[in-house]
């Protein structure tokens, strides 16, 4: 296994971690349109809080997919063919979620505004759920043949572990979004409702993390192949969640947002370190797709690395600058349509 292969495995993990960290609070805000907002003015304020950022945050997902296609075509081909219907459902949800923000703004009747608000909330919940489903399936083992082709049935995709993983990621995104809303929006009543929800949701989130750890032990080989690293990362997830809960109760909003964001990053690190040196786990011995067999040629990886490390600082600088420019907090105001 070459250094370039390792580098691109890590880079793809970083891209997915960045996507779930940044788009995670977008998904949480979308869900909160139906679980938190009590008026159109509050819905508008929540959408405006992510308005300048949500489409830019999705670039991390596009880049991750592009990196897999160019750097690891065998992984890309097996993943996108084997999980075609799930990825297609994710794509449909992302499309409807994107247009729902625009269509909602253009509607002139409450009936259709409420319809598009509901579509925003439902698709914002489904996308992290389906991604959680996909990644837990990848690490628990799928029916692969010697060519990397997947022949899975319904229970291979939807089982106890994958459903728990999907629900856990959706819940984590929702709490992440609530923390972001407290940072961005100024409103006494809205903040009170966020605080009340967080007091209930943090214990639920911890229970979900324990359930995920138990099913990880039952359905994967993480604890047999890398027991120490797995335990350390699981402990980090729980400790960071407890710290986020603690500072939330103290109304330290920035720290709470950062701590829970780190939980998402550590979760991605857990899945990718447990997956390595494989890229998709096979449920039969010798049928897993290995990193060393899934990548492009060394020449391709070399030039991809040069181009990526040239362009990456520019992209990161632009995204940081956009968050700085739109750093002002948002006031809930009554709006007319």
């Amino acid at each position: 296994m070459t250094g370039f292969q390792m580098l691109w495995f890590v880079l793809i993990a970083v891209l997915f971690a960045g996507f779930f960290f940044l788009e995670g609070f977008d998904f949480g805000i979308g869900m909160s349109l139906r679980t938190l907002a009590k008026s159109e003015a509050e819905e508008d304020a929540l959408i405006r809080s992510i308005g300048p950022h949500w489409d830019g945050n999705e670039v991390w997902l596009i880049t991750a997919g592009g990196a897999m296609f160019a750097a690891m075509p065998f992984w890309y081909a097996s993943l996108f063919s084997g999980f075609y219907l799930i990825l297609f459902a994710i794509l449909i949800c992302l499309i409807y979620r994107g247009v729902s923000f625009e269509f909602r703004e253009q509607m002139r009747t409450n009936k259709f505004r409420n319809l598009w608000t509901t579509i925003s909330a439902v698709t914002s919940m489904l996308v992290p759920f389906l991604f959680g489903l996909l990644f837990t399936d990848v690490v628990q083992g799928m029916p692969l043949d010697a060519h990397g082709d997947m022949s899975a049935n319904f229970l291979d995709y939807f089982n106890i572990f994958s459903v728990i993983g999907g629900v856990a990621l959706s819940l984590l995104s929702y709490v992440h979004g609530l923390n972001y809303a407290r940072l961005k929006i100024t409103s006494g009543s809205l903040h009170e409702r966020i605080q009340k929800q967080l007091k209930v949701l943090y214990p639920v989130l911890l229970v979900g993390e324990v359930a995920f750890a138990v099913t990880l032990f039952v359905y994967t080989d993480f604890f047999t192949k890398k027991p120490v690293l797995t335990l350390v990362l699981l402990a980090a997830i729980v400790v960071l969640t407890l710290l986020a809960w603690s500072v939330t109760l103290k109304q330290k909003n920035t720290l709470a947002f950062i701590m829970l964001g780190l939980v998402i990053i550590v979760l991605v690190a857990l899945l990718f370190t447990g997956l390595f040196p494989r890229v998709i786990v096979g449920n039969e011995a010798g049928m897993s797709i290995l990193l060393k067999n899934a990548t492009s040629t060394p020449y391709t990886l070399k030039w991809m690395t040069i181009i990526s490390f040239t362009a990456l600082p520019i992209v990161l600088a632009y995204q940081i600058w956009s968050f700085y420019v739109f750093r002002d907090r948002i006031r809930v105001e009554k709006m007319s349509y």
Side-chain angles (χ1 to χ4, degrees):
M1 191 178 303
T2 67
F4 282 127
Q5 289 175 320
M6 281 288 299
L7 174 64
W8 277 97
F9 184 78
V10 172
L11 283 177
I12 289 171
V14 169
L15 289 169
F16 276 112
F19 170 71
F20 289 122
F21 179 94
L22 294 170
E23 193 70 355
F25 66 75
D26 286 353
F27 294 142
I29 292 292
M31 286 183 261
S32 71
L33 295 175
R34 276 291 171 253
T35 60
L36 181 66
K38 298 297 184 182
S39 66
E40 283 191 5
E42 291 183 351
E43 292 172 5
D44 291 332
L46 287 167
I47 292 174
R48 284 165 54 208
S49 72
I50 60 172
H53 308 299
W54 68 265
D55 49 354
N57 293 341
E58 288 184 357
V59 171
W60 287 76
L61 176 62
I62 297 169
T63 307
M68 290 177 65
F69 174 78
M72 302 185 184
F74 192 21
W75 184 13
Y76 176 91
S78 183
L79 185 74
F80 276 68
S81 60
F83 291 92
Y84 178 83
L85 291 178
I86 291 177
L87 288 167
F88 183 74
I90 289 172
L91 177 62
I92 292 296
C93 287
L94 288 173
I95 291 171
Y96 272 90
R97 177 175 174 269
V99 301
S100 67
F101 297 135
E102 304 298 330
F103 283 10
R104 176 186 176 276
E105 186 177 350
Q106 300 302 320
M107 295 298 105
R108 292 294 179 259
T109 63
N110 288 333
K111 177 181 178 181
F112 287 106
R113 285 179 62 80
N114 287 332
L115 171 63
W116 285 107
T117 301
T118 300
I119 290 173
S120 293
V122 172
T123 53
S124 294
M125 180 273 294
L126 284 175
V127 173
F129 173 79
L130 292 171
F131 267 119
L133 196 81
L134 186 152
F135 275 100
T136 48
D137 284 337
V138 165
V139 299
Q140 74 170 311
M142 297 298 286
L144 298 169
D145 63 19
H147 302 289
D149 295 324
M150 195 179 298
S151 55
N153 58 40
F154 180 82
L155 292 179
D156 290 317
Y157 295 113
F158 293 86
N159 50 68
I160 294 174
F161 181 41
S162 63
V163 171
I164 287 176
V167 171
L169 188 56
S170 291
L171 179 59
L172 187 55
S173 297
Y174 181 62
V175 178
H176 194 39
L178 293 184
N179 285 333
Y180 181 76
R182 292 200 311 167
L183 282 175
K184 288 293 292 182
I185 300 173
T186 59
S187 172
S189 61
L190 192 57
H191 273 264
E192 289 174 8
R193 290 200 300 277
I194 293 173
Q195 191 72 5
K196 287 179 181 178
Q197 285 197 14
L198 287 174
K199 286 180 179 179
V200 175
L201 288 175
Y202 269 110
V204 175
L205 184 58
L206 284 167
V207 171
E209 290 171 357
V210 172
F212 178 77
V214 171
T215 51
L216 191 75
F217 175 79
V218 174
Y219 285 89
T220 73
D221 57 8
F222 283 28
F223 285 88
T224 55
K225 289 185 176 295
K226 297 168 186 172
V228 175
L229 187 57
T230 299
L231 287 171
V232 167
L233 291 173
L234 284 172
I237 288 172
V238 173
V239 169
L240 286 168
T241 304
L242 288 170
L243 288 173
W245 186 11
S246 174
V247 295
T248 295
L249 295 176
K250 298 175 182 177
Q251 307 249 353
K252 296 180 179 179
N253 301 335
T254 302
L255 274 177
F257 176 75
I258 292 172
M259 291 296 178
L260 204 66
L262 289 175
V263 170
I264 295 174
I265 293 173
V266 175
L267 176 60
V268 175
L270 169 67
L271 294 176
F272 272 80
T273 53
L275 188 60
F276 182 82
R278 305 157 296 185
V279 290
I280 299 180
V281 179
N283 59 5
E284 294 183 12
M287 289 301 176
S288 298
I289 300 176
L290 301 178
L291 173 62
K292 65 180 181 180
N293 300 324
T295 58
S296 296
T297 64
Y299 182 80
T300 300
L301 295 179
K302 174 184 175 181
W303 277 103
M304 283 184 61
T305 303
I306 293 171
I307 294 170
S308 298
F309 278 88
T310 302
L312 186 60
I314 299 172
V315 175
L316 288 175
Y318 172 78
Q319 193 151 30
I320 292 170
W321 176 78
S322 70
F323 275 96
Y324 175 77
V325 169
F326 295 103
R327 68 189 181 279
D328 293 339
R329 301 181 73 187
I330 295 170
R331 185 180 301 276
V332 177
E333 298 174 349
K334 182 66 177 176
M335 300 183 183
S336 58
Y337 298 93

